[in-house]
Amino acid sequence: MAGHSAGTEIEQLIQLLARLPGLGPRSARRAALQLLSKKETLMRPLADAISEAADHVLTCTTCGNLDTQDPCSICVDTRRDAGVICVVEHVADLWALERAGANSGQYHVLGGTLSALDGVGPDDLNIAGLVNRTMSGDIKEVVLAVNATVDGQATAHYIMDQLEGSGANVSQVAHGVPVGGELDYLDDGTLAAAMKARRPF
Amino acid sequence: MAGHSAGTEIEQLIQLLARLPGLGPRSARRAALQLLSKKETLMRPLADAISEAADHVLTCTTCGNLDTQDPCSICVDTRRDAGVICVVEHVADLWALERAGANSGQYHVLGGTLSALDGVGPDDLNIAGLVNRTMSGDIKEVVLAVNATVDGQATAHYIMDQLEGSGANVSQVAHGVPVGGELDYLDDGTLAAAMKARRPF
């Protein structure tokens, strides 16, 4: 990477940084230089923060969220609606819904979507856990907040089938024109879905 | 950042990652999730690599390069031409020239450029060190490889003045059409410089 101008310590650092999403070889070099120029204010704190998080962050065995406690702080929060489970693909989606304050219920992180192409089957996702929670608990509603992709929708249909007879209502987040979005820039699929799902004004 | 859905360890990690160049809040969250999903293969090695580099990498007191030894491996390399000093703004520029194998001589890292706007004067850069090296050593040539910006050229002129009487020839990297570049896409300044510096074919 940096040729023989830099020690192996720097090359090792650059190679690991380049494996982060959003950083390529060039930006990893810039990041390494940035770190080395701010050893005490950024570099050592970052090393400590990574170690700390690696030691203390774990996956909630109930919902699949990442937290420093298991069950996670959302699962144990009694102010939240324990009768609603919002199903998401990834932890990042859970965080996005939390930032938006869009869900006052619980969550369930699948860990991805069914995908014949990538060889992801039902057993590779945390679907059994969702069925267990829905069957055993007093769940009124399961909201499917999976992505509006082909794989996401296939996963939603599969989950729908699995939850049949659970007594819970299964719903899905609305698909349509994004708030602030301009019709002119939207794809045909979104426009068709938005027209089809039109509601009284 | 991540709301109350994530522990403070994760938020701390995200905030520090977001301070790296090239990573914003969103990509820092993605990077944190990537790290947490690869604890043993990426997260702990990265924490170790950052600590190692913070402990062992230092700035060469001769040329300003970053290395695990001082003087750096370039300064002590007897196969290199000790009579040529290539002057660059930043360590990243040194690395770029090394990757290209473009300089067989020594280096000198200024640490930036003169800038009236940003309040950067000669004493803020490692110019005195360059003058010392040039005056005291057996230096035949000083190659100015600073950026072709207004500040870079102002810095080049200042260094030129300081090195007067040193006996060293001061040269500058050529400015012109980049190799592989198309004329149609180049700015007027580059085209004018390339025409002015035209050479017999």
Side-chain angles (χ1 to χ4, degrees):
Chain A
M1 290 291 217
H4 62 282
S5 58
T8 48
E9 278 84 354
I10 301 181
E11 292 200 26
Q12 174 74 1
L13 174 61
I14 292 172
Q15 270 168 32
L16 287 167
L17 284 171
R19 289 177 55 194
L20 294 179
L23 288 184
R26 183 180 293 266
S27 44
R29 284 196 295 270
R30 281 179 56 217
L33 286 170
Q34 168 97 330
L35 286 172
L36 287 165
S37 71
K38 295 183 180 175
K39 269 193 190 176
E40 299 309 322
T41 57
L42 181 58
M43 195 167 192
R44 293 193 195 280
L46 179 60
D48 293 343
I50 295 175
S51 293
E52 283 287 304
D55 288 342
H56 295 120
V57 175
L58 31 85
T59 301
C60 174
T61 47
T62 305
C63 75
N65 186 21
L66 290 168
D67 204 341
T68 45
Q69 59 185 75
D70 179 20
C72 73
S73 53
I74 292 180
C75 282
V76 298
D77 188 343
T78 52
R79 291 164 304 177
R80 301 186 74 108
D81 189 345
V84 175
I85 297 179
C86 178
V87 179
V88 294
E89 293 179 17
H90 299 288
V91 174
D93 303 325
L94 185 161
W95 289 357
L97 288 165
E98 279 301 287
R99 282 198 302 279
N103 174 33
S104 59
Q106 303 294 318
Y107 286 98
H108 194 84
V109 180
L110 295 174
T113 52
L114 297 175
S115 170
L117 270 178
D118 298 333
V120 181
D123 295 340
D124 301 314
L125 303 177
N126 191 11
I127 293 179
L130 174 64
V131 175
N132 275 343
R133 284 178 76 186
T134 312
M135 297 295 184
S136 58
D138 192 17
I139 305 298
K140 300 188 301 287
E141 185 177 3
V142 174
V143 186
L144 301 176
V146 292
N147 291 336
T149 56
V150 172
D151 284 344
Q153 294 309 298
T155 310
H157 280 289
Y158 181 85
I159 292 173
M160 182 82 194
D161 288 345
Q162 297 295 307
L163 292 181
E164 211 158 282
S166 67
N169 291 314
V170 181
S171 61
Q172 185 177 32
V173 291
H175 296 153
V177 180
V179 176
E182 296 182 39
L183 290 188
D184 194 18
Y185 289 90
L186 282 171
D187 62 292
D188 298 348
T190 301
L191 288 176
M195 281 301 286
K196 207 170 157 191
R198 66 188 179 277
R199 308 193 309 171
F201 190 67
Chain B
M1 289 297 220
H4 62 282
S5 57
T8 48
E9 278 84 355
I10 303 182
E11 293 201 25
Q12 174 74 0
L13 173 62
I14 292 172
Q15 271 168 30
L16 286 167
L17 285 171
R19 288 177 55 194
L20 293 180
L23 289 183
R26 181 179 295 265
S27 44
R29 284 196 295 268
R30 282 179 55 216
L33 286 170
Q34 168 96 330
L35 287 172
L36 286 165
S37 70
K38 296 182 179 174
K39 268 194 189 175
E40 299 309 323
T41 58
L42 182 58
M43 194 166 191
R44 293 192 195 280
L46 180 60
D48 293 343
I50 296 175
S51 292
E52 283 287 304
D55 287 343
H56 296 119
V57 175
L58 29 85
T59 302
C60 174
T61 47
T62 304
C63 74
N65 186 20
L66 290 168
D67 204 342
T68 45
Q69 59 184 75
D70 179 22
C72 74
S73 53
I74 292 181
C75 283
V76 298
D77 188 343
T78 53
R79 292 164 304 177
R80 301 184 75 107
D81 189 344
V84 175
I85 297 178
C86 179
V87 179
V88 294
E89 292 178 18
H90 299 288
V91 174
D93 304 325
L94 186 162
W95 288 356
L97 287 165
E98 280 300 289
R99 282 197 304 277
N103 175 33
S104 60
Q106 303 295 317
Y107 286 97
H108 193 84
V109 180
L110 294 174
T113 52
L114 298 175
S115 170
L117 269 178
D118 297 334
V120 180
D123 296 341
D124 300 316
L125 304 176
N126 190 10
I127 293 179
L130 174 63
V131 175
N132 276 341
R133 285 177 75 185
T134 312
M135 297 294 186
S136 57
D138 193 17
I139 306 298
K140 300 186 302 288
E141 185 176 4
V142 173
V143 186
L144 300 176
V146 291
N147 291 336
T149 55
V150 172
D151 284 343
Q153 294 309 298
T155 310
H157 280 290
Y158 180 86
I159 292 175
M160 182 83 193
D161 288 345
Q162 298 294 307
L163 293 180
E164 211 159 281
S166 68
N169 291 314
V170 182
S171 61
Q172 186 176 32
V173 291
H175 297 154
V177 180
V179 176
E182 297 180 39
L183 290 188
D184 196 17
Y185 289 90
L186 283 170
D187 61 292
D188 298 348
T190 301
L191 288 176
M195 281 300 285
K196 208 170 155 189
R198 66 187 179 276
R199 307 193 310 171
F201 190 67

